[in-house]
Amino acid sequence: PSSTPQFATCLSVRLNINTITMKLAAACTLAFAASANAFAPATSGNRATQLNAMKDDFVKVGAAALAGAAIFGATLPAQAITKSELNQLSYLQVKGTGLANRCSEVIGEDTITPKSGAKLAEMCIEPKAWAVEEEIGKAGKTEKKFVNSKVMTRQTYTLEGIEGSIKTDGGAITFVEEEGIDYAPTTVQLPGGERVPFLFTVKELVAKGNGPAFKPGFQMGGDFSVPSYRTGLFLDPKGRGGVTGYDMAVALPGLQSGEEGDADLFKENNKTFDVGQGRIEMEVNKVNADEGEIGGVFVASQPGDTDMGSKVPKKILTKGIFYAKVQ
């Protein structure tokens, strides 16, 4: 009968399950909307305006995702924490949380004027969004546009431990990158399913600033080298490599005799270690003078993989945040 205690208990359990289900659906909808906003194209304008707009978008997306997850108490993605807080965590506390792939947060809006012989250390560069330049046809015409893409690489794409010297020649700061984990093989996927590999890097970066001190609004940028995505020891599916392997596709000797027809397969056979050039623009928006920390946002462009010389590289646009310590 409906008046028994067992029936009342069952009814209560069912109501709780329905309530949890509704909360879960609402949270998923909110989280989906937040993730979509993260890849919204940036508006046109000057460099400073674009960087600040990108930062605001990231803050809004993070707040929306946090609110959505809090509805049903799910495990949250790794949130930004300060360097001092991160240093207090043990290996087991960091393992599996995603914090190892995050750049630390800086609190404060101070000013740091580097002295002679100073350097930037513990620099971290974390991408947040990626876009690939594609030729899009419209009304019989083709034009190049950056298409938003999603990262397919696991959480190993952040650059960490980068160091370099600071020069103040001419009254402006110049940062010269010297060492660190300054490259990360990364793959992104276009909306159509095509995957584009590239070597995210800032090797040999020389970034020139617009002032003598690090403070909110300080900007610096410069060019860097982009090594080949693959090295000479890599072998393609036909066993051809740069410094080892076959010189040609063994199954097609008649087309690779050095005479007629060989030109069609020359780029596939002749493996090269291509070195490209990229550029990065960075803007500081947080400075903690007591800890000697700076943080901000960046926009970088670089060529993608050439498959060791056989393909034309695509242009990759990366946006994200960075952290560094002035020593």
Side-chain angles (χ1 to χ4, degrees):
S2 59
S3 60
T4 63
Q6 292 85 350
F7 178 81
T9 302
C10 293
L11 180 60
S12 176
V13 171
R14 289 181 180 177
L15 289 175
N16 289 336
I17 292 176
N18 290 336
T19 302
I20 293 173
T21 303
M22 293 174 64
K23 290 181 178 180
L24 177 62
C28 290
T29 302
L30 186 58
F32 176 79
S35 63
N37 290 334
F39 292 93
T43 56
S44 59
N46 59 41
R47 183 174 68 185
T49 302
Q50 291 177 350
L51 290 171
N52 289 329
M54 179 181 64
K55 174 199 168 187
D56 294 339
D57 289 342
F58 290 150
V59 172
K60 292 177 183 177
V61 170
L66 179 62
I71 292 178
F72 60 97
T75 301
L76 299 175
Q79 302 297 316
I81 63 175
T82 63
K83 193 69 172 180
S84 59
E85 292 171 340
L86 182 62
N87 291 337
Q88 297 175 15
L89 301 179
S90 66
Y91 168 77
L92 292 179
Q93 289 175 314
V94 174
K95 181 181 178 182
T97 64
L99 285 174
N101 194 53
R102 299 288 185 268
C103 289
S104 300
E105 184 182 39
V106 179
I107 299 176
E109 296 184 355
D110 306 325
T111 299
I112 298 178
T113 302
K115 300 178 181 179
S116 177
K119 67 176 183 177
L120 281 183
E122 301 181 33
M123 176 178 277
C124 172
I125 302 177
E126 178 190 349
K128 292 287 189 179
W130 300 260
V132 181
E133 189 178 51
E134 289 279 88
E135 287 189 356
I136 299 177
K138 185 177 181 181
K141 298 180 181 179
T142 59
E143 58 179 345
K144 291 184 177 181
K145 286 187 176 181
F146 281 100
V147 179
N148 291 330
S149 60
K150 64 178 180 179
V151 66
M152 305 305 295
T153 305
R154 294 192 177 188
Q155 297 192 28
T156 58
Y157 49 78
T158 293
L159 308 184
E160 179 63 70
I162 298 173
E163 296 185 5
S165 58
I166 298 176
K167 300 178 181 179
T168 55
D169 297 337
I173 293 174
T174 299
F175 169 65
V176 181
E177 191 269 342
E178 296 171 353
E179 59 180 342
I181 304 176
D182 53 8
Y183 68 95
T186 309
T187 300
V188 295
Q189 180 172 292
L190 295 172
E194 180 185 358
R195 295 190 175 183
V196 182
F198 67 101
L199 192 71
F200 178 54
T201 181
V202 289
K203 278 187 172 292
E204 301 176 352
L205 168 66
V206 178
K208 298 181 179 180
N210 61 354
F214 294 111
K215 58 183 179 179
F218 172 83
Q219 297 179 1
M220 64 179 181
D223 298 333
F224 56 86
S225 298
V226 183
S228 174
Y229 181 79
R230 305 190 189 280
T231 64
L233 294 177
F234 173 78
L235 297 179
D236 70 7
K238 292 183 172 61
R240 297 169 296 191
V243 297
T244 186
Y246 295 111
D247 293 330
M248 63 181 68
V250 179
L252 303 171
L255 293 177
Q256 303 162 98
S257 59
E259 299 177 0
E260 184 178 358
D262 188 49
D264 295 336
L265 295 174
F266 178 75
K267 289 185 177 180
E268 293 285 349
N269 291 333
N270 185 40
K271 304 296 183 182
T272 59
F273 188 90
D274 295 325
V275 178
Q277 187 178 69
R279 184 169 182 84
I280 187 171
E281 299 289 341
M282 314 171 82
E283 180 176 334
V284 175
N285 53 29
K286 295 291 182 181
V287 179
N288 187 331
D290 294 335
E291 299 291 339
E293 299 174 333
I294 63 172
V297 293
F298 78 90
V299 178
S301 63
Q302 66 172 88
D305 178 36
T306 65
D307 200 11
M308 301 190 75
S310 63
K311 297 179 181 178
V312 178
K314 295 179 179 291
K315 190 175 183 180
I316 314 292
L317 184 67
T318 307
K319 300 179 181 180
I321 61 176
F322 74 92
Y323 164 92
K325 207 161 188 176
V326 182
Q327 294 182 348

